[in-house]
């Protein structure tokens, strides 16, 4: 299971990356980022206008920006709220179960051997492939989407949290035991604080996977949610609205990262 845990956490983010990745940015770096964004957006606007690319193929940035002040934006926001409900509910369930299982398998190796095959099955199976089956059993409401989000986010949280719980210095644990500390005291006073960077990484990855799964599940059917809007706009060639939804999802993903970056600085700043 430890090999799985290392693989699951390696390619996406690291504890040090969350706690110290952006702290050293100065004013010049921020200005450079803004400058590049202005050049890309302005250059894209100019290129699309000069090449006279039709809006139904690739809209200009100004056309996308106009959507945010159009009457259609009220409907987009309403469907976005449905997506957030699915994400928050499914993520809360999945993350809670993931943290609980990570704690259990860390304390009881036998349990780890029993549930490892099922965790492997969840990690390697695309949850979007199960959405039609969930819809068939639970209908087109929130329930199948929330279940899909929970199944997608839970294993990611569990893998990274379990990795963090195991990476604690064994000398510290041995010293605590020699002082008469119980297993619960060792877990709460040593394992959890020392594992906090990896736990936060797992929570971040789980939230991002949950958002992707929620949008994908909405595209599979149901008629509501931002994913459903993406399907509608693409099928009717309303590309400005389509890219406006994409932009909202991108900002949501950045917000998720920024929140957990802030949380890591608060709870695991010592890692940097």
């Amino acid at each position: 299971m430890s090999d799985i845990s290392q693989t699951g956490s390696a390619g996406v983010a690291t504890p040090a990356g969350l706690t110290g990745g952006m702290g050293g940015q100065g004013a010049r770096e921020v200005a450079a980022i803004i400058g590049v964004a202005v050049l890309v957006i302005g250059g894209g606007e100019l290129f699309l206008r000069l090449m006279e690319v039709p809006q139904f193929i690739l809209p200009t940035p100004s056309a996308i920006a106009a959507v945010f002040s159009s009457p259609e934006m009220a409907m987009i926001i309403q469907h976005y709220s449905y997506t957030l409900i699915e994400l928050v509910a499914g993520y809360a369930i999945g993350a809670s179960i993931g943290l609980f299982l990570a704690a259990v398998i860390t304390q009881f190796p036998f349990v780890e051997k029993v549930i490892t095959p099922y965790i492997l099955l969840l990690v390697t199976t695309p949850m979007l492939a199960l959405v039609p089956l969930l819809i068939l059993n639970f209908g087109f409401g929130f329930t199948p989407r929330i279940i899909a989000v929970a199944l997608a986010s839970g294993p990611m949280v569990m893998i990274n949290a379990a990795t963090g719980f195991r990476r604690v210095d064994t000398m510290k644990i041995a010293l605590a035991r020699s002082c008469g500390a119980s297993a619960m005291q060792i877990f709460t006073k040593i394992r959890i604080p020392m594992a906090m960077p990896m736990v936060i990484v797992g929570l971040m990855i789980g939230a991002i996977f949950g958002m992707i799964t929620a949008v994908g599940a909405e595209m599979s059917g149901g008629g509501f949610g931002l994913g459903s809007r993406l399907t509608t706009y693409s099928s009717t060639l309303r590309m400005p609205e389509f890219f406006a939804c994409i932009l909202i999802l991108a900002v949501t993903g950045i917000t998720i990262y920024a929140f957990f970056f802030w949380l890591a600085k608060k709870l695991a700043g010592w890692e940097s």
Side-chain angles (χ1 to χ4, degrees):
M1 189 70 187
S2 59
D3 293 335
I4 301 171
S5 303
Q6 295 289 352
T7 304
S9 61
V12 184
T14 62
L18 270 182
T19 56
M22 295 181 64
Q25 279 191 339
R28 288 192 304 174
E29 292 173 317
V30 175
I33 293 173
I34 296 175
V36 170
V38 171
L39 286 175
V40 170
I41 295 173
E45 179 82 21
L46 182 61
F47 174 80
L48 292 174
R49 288 184 179 275
L50 290 177
M51 298 301 294
E52 297 182 350
V53 178
Q55 295 289 334
F56 64 84
I57 295 179
L58 188 61
T60 61
S62 60
I64 298 173
V67 175
F68 290 92
S69 59
S70 67
E72 185 69 17
M73 192 60 194
M75 178 177 292
I76 293 176
I77 291 176
Q78 181 180 7
H79 284 272
Y80 178 58
S81 67
Y82 299 146
T83 302
L84 289 181
I85 291 173
E86 299 159 6
L87 173 59
V88 171
Y91 176 70
I93 296 171
S96 299
I97 296 176
L99 289 173
F100 174 76
L101 289 178
V104 170
I105 66 175
T106 303
Q107 299 298 310
F108 304 100
F110 174 76
V111 178
E112 176 182 359
K113 295 178 181 179
V114 173
I115 69 172
T116 292
Y118 303 100
I119 299 301
L120 277 173
L121 185 64
L122 288 175
V123 171
T124 56
T125 301
M127 288 303 107
L128 291 178
L130 299 180
V131 172
L133 177 63
L134 293 172
I135 291 176
L136 182 64
N137 285 274
F138 298 101
F140 287 94
F142 284 107
T143 302
R145 303 177 184 188
I146 291 175
I147 294 174
V149 171
L151 291 175
S153 59
M156 299 301 166
V157 175
M158 194 212 75
I159 287 173
N160 284 273
T163 300
F165 291 147
R166 287 195 187 89
R167 288 175 60 180
V168 177
D169 189 354
T170 55
M171 294 297 294
K172 294 179 180 178
I173 296 178
L175 178 60
R177 285 174 178 165
S178 67
C179 295
S182 65
M184 181 59 66
Q185 288 175 324
I186 292 174
F187 185 79
T188 56
K189 302 297 184 180
I190 298 178
R191 288 191 184 274
I192 290 180
M194 297 298 294
M196 192 56 63
M198 287 302 302
V199 171
I200 295 175
V201 169
L203 292 172
M204 181 194 71
I205 297 173
I208 293 175
F209 268 72
M211 184 186 71
I212 295 172
T213 303
V215 175
E218 291 168 349
M219 297 177 74
S220 299
F224 63 95
L226 214 54
S228 175
R229 286 290 90 195
L230 288 172
T231 302
T232 299
Y233 292 143
S234 63
S235 62
T236 55
L237 301 180
R238 298 170 64 181
M239 290 297 105
E241 290 84 357
F242 177 88
F243 279 97
C245 293
I246 293 293
L247 183 59
I248 291 173
L249 292 173
V251 171
T252 303
I254 294 173
T255 303
I256 290 173
Y257 176 84
F259 170 75
F260 284 108
F261 169 74
W262 170 84
L263 190 63
K265 296 291 286 186
K266 292 293 184 181
L267 300 181
W270 52 267
E271 180 75 12
S272 59

